[in-house]
Amino acid sequence: MSETIDNRLEAMGIRLPVAAAPAANYVPYVISGNLLYLSGQLPMEDGKIAVTGLAGADVDLAAAQRAAELCAINILAQAKAALGDLGRIARVIKLNGFVASAPGFTEQHLVINGASNLIANVLGDAGKHARAAVGMAALPLNAAVEIDAILEIGQ
């Protein structure tokens, strides 16, 4: 991992966890050419879902943003498992953010900012990405947020 990324993670107080194993019949990532496709990551912390429920009902905006940050940390952990070094990320191409939302909740974009901000702060310009922020009726294991990613692999 590049020294700069290590320094940024340390300055942010982030220690990447061991990448989570799949919870069903899928693989955690696929490399095709110079693209790394990461399966959806949940807001796991210390081996369990840290934020559950619906944004706008059970989960306030700040907690939902924290869930998105945890998803981003787990995205970075999966990328490190796939690539061995986060410095190999040439660009985060896209994040797809899914927010378990109560009827009438319309701040999904603000929730997913939690992940977008963390990724950009850790990876710098390589972390700037396109994205989607979508409201869902429910997510696996009652998670408040799930995020998948597409990354470009550098040399």
Side-chain angles (χ1 to χ4, degrees):
M1 188 182 309
S2 77
E3 190 64 32
T4 302
I5 294 172
D6 273 342
N7 291 346
R8 289 178 186 153
L9 286 168
E10 186 176 336
M12 295 171 72
I14 296 171
R15 194 165 150 248
L16 294 182
V18 173
N25 186 19
Y26 63 91
V27 294
Y29 61 85
V30 170
I31 295 174
S32 181
N34 68 338
L35 296 179
L36 172 61
Y37 294 84
L38 296 171
S39 293
Q41 300 298 304
L42 300 176
M44 301 288 290
E45 189 172 44
D46 299 325
K48 64 183 181 200
I49 305 288
V51 184
T52 59
L54 299 176
D58 315 305
V59 180
D60 66 17
L61 180 59
Q65 288 172 327
R66 174 68 179 139
E69 290 173 355
L70 290 170
C71 292
I73 290 167
N74 290 309
I75 285 168
L76 293 173
Q78 286 293 352
K80 183 176 180 185
L83 303 175
D85 179 355
L86 292 178
R88 291 188 61 203
I89 298 171
R91 182 80 189 247
V92 176
I93 295 173
K94 187 168 186 187
L95 297 182
N96 291 306
F98 307 95
V99 181
S101 301
F105 183 78
T106 59
E107 296 183 319
Q108 291 83 3
H109 62 295
L110 298 178
V111 171
I112 303 304
N113 276 350
S116 292
N117 293 342
L118 189 141
I119 295 283
N121 288 337
V122 170
L123 298 177
D125 285 341
K128 295 178 181 174
H129 54 271
R131 76 167 199 201
V134 181
M136 309 299 291
L139 291 169
L141 307 175
N142 197 30
V145 177
E146 180 175 0
I147 303 174
D148 68 17
I150 303 169
L151 288 69
E152 180 184 1
I153 304 168
Q155 301 301 327

PDB file of all heavy atoms in Angstrom, residues 16-53:
ATOM      1  N   LEU A  16      -8.078  -0.973   8.526  1.00  0.00           N
ATOM      2  CA  LEU A  16      -8.896  -1.818   7.659  1.00  0.00           C
ATOM      3  C   LEU A  16      -9.094  -3.191   8.284  1.00  0.00           C
ATOM      4  O   LEU A  16      -8.135  -3.814   8.749  1.00  0.00           O
ATOM      5  CB  LEU A  16      -8.248  -1.972   6.278  1.00  0.00           C
ATOM      6  CG  LEU A  16      -8.152  -0.708   5.437  1.00  0.00           C
ATOM      7  CD1 LEU A  16      -7.538  -1.028   4.076  1.00  0.00           C
ATOM      8  CD2 LEU A  16      -9.500  -0.055   5.264  1.00  0.00           C
ATOM      9  N   PRO A  17     -10.330  -3.675   8.288  1.00  0.00           N
ATOM     10  CA  PRO A  17     -10.603  -5.015   8.818  1.00  0.00           C
ATOM     11  C   PRO A  17     -10.194  -6.079   7.809  1.00  0.00           C
ATOM     12  O   PRO A  17      -9.882  -5.777   6.652  1.00  0.00           O
ATOM     13  CB  PRO A  17     -12.126  -5.008   9.004  1.00  0.00           C
ATOM     14  CG  PRO A  17     -12.605  -4.088   7.924  1.00  0.00           C
ATOM     15  CD  PRO A  17     -11.544  -3.012   7.812  1.00  0.00           C
ATOM     16  N   VAL A  18     -10.223  -7.329   8.244  1.00  0.00           N
ATOM     17  CA  VAL A  18     -10.078  -8.440   7.309  1.00  0.00           C
ATOM     18  C   VAL A  18     -11.313  -8.418   6.420  1.00  0.00           C
ATOM     19  O   VAL A  18     -12.435  -8.219   6.902  1.00  0.00           O
ATOM     20  CB  VAL A  18      -9.980  -9.782   8.076  1.00  0.00           C
ATOM     21  CG1 VAL A  18     -10.003 -10.960   7.115  1.00  0.00           C
ATOM     22  CG2 VAL A  18      -8.735  -9.796   8.949  1.00  0.00           C
ATOM     23  N   ALA A  19     -11.118  -8.581   5.127  1.00  0.00           N
ATOM     24  CA  ALA A  19     -12.235  -8.547   4.183  1.00  0.00           C
ATOM     25  C   ALA A  19     -13.250  -9.620   4.531  1.00  0.00           C
ATOM     26  O   ALA A  19     -12.893 -10.770   4.798  1.00  0.00           O
ATOM     27  CB  ALA A  19     -11.713  -8.736   2.762  1.00  0.00           C
ATOM     28  N   ALA A  20     -14.522  -9.237   4.528  1.00  0.00           N
ATOM     29  CA  ALA A  20     -15.602 -10.158   4.895  1.00  0.00           C
ATOM     30  C   ALA A  20     -15.784 -11.223   3.827  1.00  0.00           C
ATOM     31  O   ALA A  20     -15.667 -10.956   2.629  1.00  0.00           O
ATOM     32  CB  ALA A  20     -16.904  -9.379   5.078  1.00  0.00           C
ATOM     33  N   ALA A  21     -16.093 -12.430   4.280  1.00  0.00           N
ATOM     34  CA  ALA A  21     -16.409 -13.525   3.367  1.00  0.00           C
ATOM     35  C   ALA A  21     -17.836 -13.330   2.852  1.00  0.00           C
ATOM     36  O   ALA A  21     -18.664 -12.711   3.518  1.00  0.00           O
ATOM     37  CB  ALA A  21     -16.294 -14.856   4.095  1.00  0.00           C
ATOM     38  N   PRO A  22     -18.140 -13.857   1.661  1.00  0.00           N
ATOM     39  CA  PRO A  22     -19.500 -13.750   1.137  1.00  0.00           C
ATOM     40  C   PRO A  22     -20.527 -14.390   2.068  1.00  0.00           C
ATOM     41  O   PRO A  22     -20.244 -15.397   2.703  1.00  0.00           O
ATOM     42  CB  PRO A  22     -19.430 -14.497  -0.193  1.00  0.00           C
ATOM     43  CG  PRO A  22     -17.986 -14.524  -0.557  1.00  0.00           C
ATOM     44  CD  PRO A  22     -17.237 -14.545   0.749  1.00  0.00           C
ATOM     45  N   ALA A  23     -21.721 -13.792   2.107  1.00  0.00           N
ATOM     46  CA  ALA A  23     -22.800 -14.297   2.963  1.00  0.00           C
ATOM     47  C   ALA A  23     -23.763 -15.193   2.193  1.00  0.00           C
ATOM     48  O   ALA A  23     -24.726 -15.682   2.764  1.00  0.00           O
ATOM     49  CB  ALA A  23     -23.562 -13.126   3.578  1.00  0.00           C
ATOM     50  N   ALA A  24     -23.518 -15.396   0.894  1.00  0.00           N
ATOM     51  CA  ALA A  24     -24.394 -16.221   0.062  1.00  0.00           C
ATOM     52  C   ALA A  24     -23.571 -16.753  -1.113  1.00  0.00           C
ATOM     53  O   ALA A  24     -22.339 -16.756  -1.055  1.00  0.00           O
ATOM     54  CB  ALA A  24     -25.599 -15.408  -0.408  1.00  0.00           C
ATOM     55  N   ASN A  25     -24.224 -17.145  -2.190  1.00  0.00           N
ATOM     56  CA  ASN A  25     -23.558 -17.770  -3.324  1.00  0.00           C
ATOM     57  C   ASN A  25     -23.035 -16.717  -4.313  1.00  0.00           C
ATOM     58  O   ASN A  25     -23.645 -16.479  -5.358  1.00  0.00           O
ATOM     59  CB  ASN A  25     -24.522 -18.739  -4.024  1.00  0.00           C
ATOM     60  CG  ASN A  25     -23.833 -19.526  -5.113  1.00  0.00           C
ATOM     61  OD1 ASN A  25     -22.609 -19.622  -5.140  1.00  0.00           O
ATOM     62  ND2 ASN A  25     -24.613 -20.077  -6.025  1.00  0.00           N
ATOM     63  N   TYR A  26     -21.930 -16.086  -3.970  1.00  0.00           N
ATOM     64  CA  TYR A  26     -21.261 -15.116  -4.831  1.00  0.00           C
ATOM     65  C   TYR A  26     -19.812 -14.995  -4.387  1.00  0.00           C
ATOM     66  O   TYR A  26     -19.437 -15.507  -3.329  1.00  0.00           O
ATOM     67  CB  TYR A  26     -21.959 -13.750  -4.798  1.00  0.00           C
ATOM     68  CG  TYR A  26     -21.949 -13.077  -3.444  1.00  0.00           C
ATOM     69  CD1 TYR A  26     -20.931 -12.202  -3.077  1.00  0.00           C
ATOM     70  CD2 TYR A  26     -22.956 -13.314  -2.518  1.00  0.00           C
ATOM     71  CE1 TYR A  26     -20.911 -11.592  -1.830  1.00  0.00           C
ATOM     72  CE2 TYR A  26     -22.953 -12.713  -1.274  1.00  0.00           C
ATOM     73  CZ  TYR A  26     -21.927 -11.847  -0.936  1.00  0.00           C
ATOM     74  OH  TYR A  26     -21.906 -11.249   0.297  1.00  0.00           O
ATOM     75  N   VAL A  27     -19.002 -14.330  -5.184  1.00  0.00           N
ATOM     76  CA  VAL A  27     -17.611 -14.074  -4.805  1.00  0.00           C
ATOM     77  C   VAL A  27     -17.487 -12.618  -4.371  1.00  0.00           C
ATOM     78  O   VAL A  27     -18.267 -11.769  -4.798  1.00  0.00           O
ATOM     79  CB  VAL A  27     -16.640 -14.397  -5.964  1.00  0.00           C
ATOM     80  CG1 VAL A  27     -16.635 -15.892  -6.261  1.00  0.00           C
ATOM     81  CG2 VAL A  27     -16.970 -13.605  -7.213  1.00  0.00           C
ATOM     82  N   PRO A  28     -16.525 -12.307  -3.501  1.00  0.00           N
ATOM     83  CA  PRO A  28     -16.418 -10.931  -3.011  1.00  0.00           C
ATOM     84  C   PRO A  28     -15.951  -9.935  -4.065  1.00  0.00           C
ATOM     85  O   PRO A  28     -16.239  -8.749  -3.961  1.00  0.00           O
ATOM     86  CB  PRO A  28     -15.421 -11.035  -1.861  1.00  0.00           C
ATOM     87  CG  PRO A  28     -14.687 -12.300  -2.079  1.00  0.00           C
ATOM     88  CD  PRO A  28     -15.587 -13.217  -2.849  1.00  0.00           C
ATOM     89  N   TYR A  29     -15.242 -10.427  -5.087  1.00  0.00           N
ATOM     90  CA  TYR A  29     -14.786  -9.536  -6.148  1.00  0.00           C
ATOM     91  C   TYR A  29     -14.505 -10.338  -7.410  1.00  0.00           C
ATOM     92  O   TYR A  29     -14.311 -11.558  -7.359  1.00  0.00           O
ATOM     93  CB  TYR A  29     -13.534  -8.745  -5.743  1.00  0.00           C
ATOM     94  CG  TYR A  29     -12.335  -9.602  -5.423  1.00  0.00           C
ATOM     95  CD1 TYR A  29     -11.475 -10.052  -6.429  1.00  0.00           C
ATOM     96  CD2 TYR A  29     -12.051  -9.970  -4.114  1.00  0.00           C
ATOM     97  CE1 TYR A  29     -10.383 -10.836  -6.138  1.00  0.00           C
ATOM     98  CE2 TYR A  29     -10.954 -10.755  -3.817  1.00  0.00           C
ATOM     99  CZ  TYR A  29     -10.122 -11.184  -4.833  1.00  0.00           C
ATOM    100  OH  TYR A  29      -9.040 -11.973  -4.547  1.00  0.00           O
ATOM    101  N   VAL A  30     -14.502  -9.614  -8.527  1.00  0.00           N
ATOM    102  CA  VAL A  30     -14.130 -10.180  -9.816  1.00  0.00           C
ATOM    103  C   VAL A  30     -13.198  -9.183 -10.487  1.00  0.00           C
ATOM    104  O   VAL A  30     -13.492  -7.977 -10.525  1.00  0.00           O
ATOM    105  CB  VAL A  30     -15.373 -10.419 -10.712  1.00  0.00           C
ATOM    106  CG1 VAL A  30     -14.968 -10.786 -12.132  1.00  0.00           C
ATOM    107  CG2 VAL A  30     -16.274 -11.487 -10.112  1.00  0.00           C
ATOM    108  N   ILE A  31     -12.085  -9.686 -11.002  1.00  0.00           N
ATOM    109  CA  ILE A  31     -11.186  -8.862 -11.798  1.00  0.00           C
ATOM    110  C   ILE A  31     -11.392  -9.261 -13.253  1.00  0.00           C
ATOM    111  O   ILE A  31     -11.311 -10.443 -13.605  1.00  0.00           O
ATOM    112  CB  ILE A  31      -9.719  -9.063 -11.380  1.00  0.00           C
ATOM    113  CG1 ILE A  31      -9.511  -8.571  -9.940  1.00  0.00           C
ATOM    114  CG2 ILE A  31      -8.782  -8.334 -12.352  1.00  0.00           C
ATOM    115  CD1 ILE A  31      -8.131  -8.846  -9.367  1.00  0.00           C
ATOM    116  N   SER A  32     -11.680  -8.277 -14.093  1.00  0.00           N
ATOM    117  CA  SER A  32     -11.846  -8.489 -15.533  1.00  0.00           C
ATOM    118  C   SER A  32     -11.041  -7.409 -16.236  1.00  0.00           C
ATOM    119  O   SER A  32     -11.367  -6.214 -16.136  1.00  0.00           O
ATOM    120  CB  SER A  32     -13.324  -8.416 -15.922  1.00  0.00           C
ATOM    121  OG  SER A  32     -13.481  -8.638 -17.317  1.00  0.00           O
ATOM    122  N   GLY A  33      -9.994  -7.817 -16.905  1.00  0.00           N
ATOM    123  CA  GLY A  33      -9.098  -6.839 -17.523  1.00  0.00           C
ATOM    124  C   GLY A  33      -8.492  -5.953 -16.447  1.00  0.00           C
ATOM    125  O   GLY A  33      -7.922  -6.446 -15.475  1.00  0.00           O
ATOM    126  N   ASN A  34      -8.655  -4.645 -16.610  1.00  0.00           N
ATOM    127  CA  ASN A  34      -8.113  -3.716 -15.615  1.00  0.00           C
ATOM    128  C   ASN A  34      -9.198  -3.166 -14.686  1.00  0.00           C
ATOM    129  O   ASN A  34      -9.031  -2.109 -14.087  1.00  0.00           O
ATOM    130  CB  ASN A  34      -7.357  -2.571 -16.289  1.00  0.00           C
ATOM    131  CG  ASN A  34      -8.276  -1.644 -17.067  1.00  0.00           C
ATOM    132  OD1 ASN A  34      -9.383  -2.007 -17.466  1.00  0.00           O
ATOM    133  ND2 ASN A  34      -7.811  -0.417 -17.287  1.00  0.00           N
ATOM    134  N   LEU A  35     -10.316  -3.909 -14.591  1.00  0.00           N
ATOM    135  CA  LEU A  35     -11.405  -3.474 -13.713  1.00  0.00           C
ATOM    136  C   LEU A  35     -11.581  -4.446 -12.554  1.00  0.00           C
ATOM    137  O   LEU A  35     -11.514  -5.670 -12.736  1.00  0.00           O
ATOM    138  CB  LEU A  35     -12.714  -3.358 -14.486  1.00  0.00           C
ATOM    139  CG  LEU A  35     -12.757  -2.302 -15.584  1.00  0.00           C
ATOM    140  CD1 LEU A  35     -14.102  -2.324 -16.285  1.00  0.00           C
ATOM    141  CD2 LEU A  35     -12.459  -0.915 -15.023  1.00  0.00           C
ATOM    142  N   LEU A  36     -11.828  -3.892 -11.385  1.00  0.00           N
ATOM    143  CA  LEU A  36     -12.125  -4.658 -10.182  1.00  0.00           C
ATOM    144  C   LEU A  36     -13.567  -4.358  -9.796  1.00  0.00           C
ATOM    145  O   LEU A  36     -13.902  -3.202  -9.511  1.00  0.00           O
ATOM    146  CB  LEU A  36     -11.182  -4.261  -9.043  1.00  0.00           C
ATOM    147  CG  LEU A  36     -11.470  -4.834  -7.657  1.00  0.00           C
ATOM    148  CD1 LEU A  36     -11.401  -6.358  -7.658  1.00  0.00           C
ATOM    149  CD2 LEU A  36     -10.500  -4.241  -6.635  1.00  0.00           C
ATOM    150  N   TYR A  37     -14.397  -5.392  -9.830  1.00  0.00           N
ATOM    151  CA  TYR A  37     -15.801  -5.274  -9.434  1.00  0.00           C
ATOM    152  C   TYR A  37     -15.928  -5.823  -8.020  1.00  0.00           C
ATOM    153  O   TYR A  37     -15.615  -6.999  -7.779  1.00  0.00           O
ATOM    154  CB  TYR A  37     -16.700  -6.081 -10.381  1.00  0.00           C
ATOM    155  CG  TYR A  37     -16.725  -5.557 -11.786  1.00  0.00           C
ATOM    156  CD1 TYR A  37     -15.736  -5.912 -12.696  1.00  0.00           C
ATOM    157  CD2 TYR A  37     -17.737  -4.708 -12.216  1.00  0.00           C
ATOM    158  CE1 TYR A  37     -15.758  -5.439 -13.995  1.00  0.00           C
ATOM    159  CE2 TYR A  37     -17.771  -4.226 -13.508  1.00  0.00           C
ATOM    160  CZ  TYR A  37     -16.771  -4.598 -14.391  1.00  0.00           C
ATOM    161  OH  TYR A  37     -16.797  -4.128 -15.680  1.00  0.00           O
ATOM    162  N   LEU A  38     -16.369  -4.995  -7.090  1.00  0.00           N
ATOM    163  CA  LEU A  38     -16.526  -5.409  -5.698  1.00  0.00           C
ATOM    164  C   LEU A  38     -17.994  -5.630  -5.391  1.00  0.00           C
ATOM    165  O   LEU A  38     -18.844  -4.770  -5.676  1.00  0.00           O
ATOM    166  CB  LEU A  38     -15.958  -4.346  -4.761  1.00  0.00           C
ATOM    167  CG  LEU A  38     -14.454  -4.113  -4.880  1.00  0.00           C
ATOM    168  CD1 LEU A  38     -14.030  -2.904  -4.080  1.00  0.00           C
ATOM    169  CD2 LEU A  38     -13.686  -5.349  -4.439  1.00  0.00           C
ATOM    170  N   SER A  39     -18.301  -6.784  -4.813  1.00  0.00           N
ATOM    171  CA  SER A  39     -19.669  -7.081  -4.395  1.00  0.00           C
ATOM    172  C   SER A  39     -20.104  -6.094  -3.326  1.00  0.00           C
ATOM    173  O   SER A  39     -19.269  -5.455  -2.666  1.00  0.00           O
ATOM    174  CB  SER A  39     -19.752  -8.504  -3.840  1.00  0.00           C
ATOM    175  OG  SER A  39     -19.525  -9.440  -4.873  1.00  0.00           O
ATOM    176  N   GLY A  40     -21.418  -5.994  -3.144  1.00  0.00           N
ATOM    177  CA  GLY A  40     -21.969  -5.075  -2.160  1.00  0.00           C
ATOM    178  C   GLY A  40     -21.410  -5.313  -0.770  1.00  0.00           C
ATOM    179  O   GLY A  40     -21.323  -6.455  -0.311  1.00  0.00           O
ATOM    180  N   GLN A  41     -21.039  -4.238  -0.112  1.00  0.00           N
ATOM    181  CA  GLN A  41     -20.496  -4.288   1.246  1.00  0.00           C
ATOM    182  C   GLN A  41     -21.506  -3.681   2.215  1.00  0.00           C
ATOM    183  O   GLN A  41     -22.093  -2.634   1.942  1.00  0.00           O
ATOM    184  CB  GLN A  41     -19.163  -3.534   1.326  1.00  0.00           C
ATOM    185  CG  GLN A  41     -18.094  -4.099   0.419  1.00  0.00           C
ATOM    186  CD  GLN A  41     -17.733  -5.519   0.771  1.00  0.00           C
ATOM    187  OE1 GLN A  41     -17.354  -5.822   1.900  1.00  0.00           O
ATOM    188  NE2 GLN A  41     -17.848  -6.421  -0.202  1.00  0.00           N
ATOM    189  N   LEU A  42     -21.671  -4.348   3.325  1.00  0.00           N
ATOM    190  CA  LEU A  42     -22.593  -3.904   4.372  1.00  0.00           C
ATOM    191  C   LEU A  42     -21.829  -3.134   5.440  1.00  0.00           C
ATOM    192  O   LEU A  42     -20.596  -3.203   5.503  1.00  0.00           O
ATOM    193  CB  LEU A  42     -23.305  -5.117   4.971  1.00  0.00           C
ATOM    194  CG  LEU A  42     -24.131  -5.952   3.990  1.00  0.00           C
ATOM    195  CD1 LEU A  42     -24.705  -7.179   4.685  1.00  0.00           C
ATOM    196  CD2 LEU A  42     -25.229  -5.131   3.354  1.00  0.00           C
ATOM    197  N   PRO A  43     -22.521  -2.429   6.323  1.00  0.00           N
ATOM    198  CA  PRO A  43     -21.849  -1.667   7.381  1.00  0.00           C
ATOM    199  C   PRO A  43     -21.396  -2.575   8.524  1.00  0.00           C
ATOM    200  O   PRO A  43     -21.890  -2.512   9.651  1.00  0.00           O
ATOM    201  CB  PRO A  43     -22.913  -0.663   7.827  1.00  0.00           C
ATOM    202  CG  PRO A  43     -24.209  -1.354   7.560  1.00  0.00           C
ATOM    203  CD  PRO A  43     -23.975  -2.166   6.315  1.00  0.00           C
ATOM    204  N   MET A  44     -20.435  -3.445   8.206  1.00  0.00           N
ATOM    205  CA  MET A  44     -19.896  -4.390   9.189  1.00  0.00           C
ATOM    206  C   MET A  44     -18.830  -3.712  10.039  1.00  0.00           C
ATOM    207  O   MET A  44     -18.004  -2.954   9.533  1.00  0.00           O
ATOM    208  CB  MET A  44     -19.262  -5.588   8.486  1.00  0.00           C
ATOM    209  CG  MET A  44     -20.203  -6.376   7.595  1.00  0.00           C
ATOM    210  SD  MET A  44     -21.408  -7.330   8.498  1.00  0.00           S
ATOM    211  CE  MET A  44     -20.391  -8.574   9.227  1.00  0.00           C
ATOM    212  N   GLU A  45     -18.883  -4.004  11.333  1.00  0.00           N
ATOM    213  CA  GLU A  45     -17.871  -3.522  12.275  1.00  0.00           C
ATOM    214  C   GLU A  45     -17.722  -4.589  13.341  1.00  0.00           C
ATOM    215  O   GLU A  45     -18.726  -5.049  13.904  1.00  0.00           O
ATOM    216  CB  GLU A  45     -18.310  -2.184  12.877  1.00  0.00           C
ATOM    217  CG  GLU A  45     -17.241  -1.504  13.680  1.00  0.00           C
ATOM    218  CD  GLU A  45     -17.652  -0.095  14.101  1.00  0.00           C
ATOM    219  OE1 GLU A  45     -18.803   0.097  14.541  1.00  0.00           O
ATOM    220  OE2 GLU A  45     -16.821   0.807  13.975  1.00  0.00           O
ATOM    221  N   ASP A  46     -16.491  -5.001  13.576  1.00  0.00           N
ATOM    222  CA  ASP A  46     -16.221  -6.059  14.560  1.00  0.00           C
ATOM    223  C   ASP A  46     -17.041  -7.314  14.276  1.00  0.00           C
ATOM    224  O   ASP A  46     -17.564  -7.955  15.186  1.00  0.00           O
ATOM    225  CB  ASP A  46     -16.473  -5.558  15.986  1.00  0.00           C
ATOM    226  CG  ASP A  46     -15.579  -4.381  16.351  1.00  0.00           C
ATOM    227  OD1 ASP A  46     -14.409  -4.353  15.895  1.00  0.00           O
ATOM    228  OD2 ASP A  46     -16.047  -3.492  17.077  1.00  0.00           O
ATOM    229  N   GLY A  47     -17.182  -7.648  12.995  1.00  0.00           N
ATOM    230  CA  GLY A  47     -17.827  -8.887  12.602  1.00  0.00           C
ATOM    231  C   GLY A  47     -19.345  -8.910  12.623  1.00  0.00           C
ATOM    232  O   GLY A  47     -19.947  -9.972  12.473  1.00  0.00           O
ATOM    233  N   LYS A  48     -19.969  -7.759  12.813  1.00  0.00           N
ATOM    234  CA  LYS A  48     -21.445  -7.734  12.816  1.00  0.00           C
ATOM    235  C   LYS A  48     -21.947  -6.460  12.145  1.00  0.00           C
ATOM    236  O   LYS A  48     -21.209  -5.485  12.002  1.00  0.00           O
ATOM    237  CB  LYS A  48     -21.986  -7.856  14.236  1.00  0.00           C
ATOM    238  CG  LYS A  48     -21.610  -6.704  15.137  1.00  0.00           C
ATOM    239  CD  LYS A  48     -22.107  -6.902  16.552  1.00  0.00           C
ATOM    240  CE  LYS A  48     -21.695  -5.688  17.352  1.00  0.00           C
ATOM    241  NZ  LYS A  48     -21.663  -5.848  18.743  1.00  0.00           N
ATOM    242  N   ILE A  49     -23.227  -6.487  11.754  1.00  0.00           N
ATOM    243  CA  ILE A  49     -23.838  -5.297  11.144  1.00  0.00           C
ATOM    244  C   ILE A  49     -23.954  -4.231  12.231  1.00  0.00           C
ATOM    245  O   ILE A  49     -24.585  -4.444  13.267  1.00  0.00           O
ATOM    246  CB  ILE A  49     -25.239  -5.614  10.576  1.00  0.00           C
ATOM    247  CG1 ILE A  49     -25.194  -6.779   9.583  1.00  0.00           C
ATOM    248  CG2 ILE A  49     -25.842  -4.365   9.937  1.00  0.00           C
ATOM    249  CD1 ILE A  49     -24.578  -6.478   8.271  1.00  0.00           C
ATOM    250  N   ALA A  50     -23.355  -3.078  11.984  1.00  0.00           N
ATOM    251  CA  ALA A  50     -23.306  -2.022  13.002  1.00  0.00           C
ATOM    252  C   ALA A  50     -24.517  -1.105  12.977  1.00  0.00           C
ATOM    253  O   ALA A  50     -24.862  -0.511  14.002  1.00  0.00           O
ATOM    254  CB  ALA A  50     -22.028  -1.203  12.836  1.00  0.00           C
ATOM    255  N   VAL A  51     -25.156  -0.949  11.816  1.00  0.00           N
ATOM    256  CA  VAL A  51     -26.298  -0.038  11.695  1.00  0.00           C
ATOM    257  C   VAL A  51     -27.407  -0.776  10.950  1.00  0.00           C
ATOM    258  O   VAL A  51     -27.237  -1.140   9.788  1.00  0.00           O
ATOM    259  CB  VAL A  51     -25.923   1.262  10.953  1.00  0.00           C
ATOM    260  CG1 VAL A  51     -27.099   2.228  10.942  1.00  0.00           C
ATOM    261  CG2 VAL A  51     -24.699   1.925  11.585  1.00  0.00           C
ATOM    262  N   THR A  52     -28.528  -0.980  11.638  1.00  0.00           N
ATOM    263  CA  THR A  52     -29.656  -1.695  11.040  1.00  0.00           C
ATOM    264  C   THR A  52     -30.910  -0.824  11.058  1.00  0.00           C
ATOM    265  O   THR A  52     -31.023   0.107  11.847  1.00  0.00           O
ATOM    266  CB  THR A  52     -29.957  -3.004  11.800  1.00  0.00           C
ATOM    267  OG1 THR A  52     -30.263  -2.692  13.161  1.00  0.00           O
ATOM    268  CG2 THR A  52     -28.780  -3.964  11.751  1.00  0.00           C
ATOM    269  N   GLY A  53     -31.838  -1.150  10.162  1.00  0.00           N
ATOM    270  CA  GLY A  53     -33.118  -0.459  10.130  1.00  0.00           C
ATOM    271  C   GLY A  53     -33.247   0.477   8.952  1.00  0.00           C
ATOM    272  O   GLY A  53     -32.406   0.497   8.051  1.00  0.00           O
TER     273      GLY A  53
END
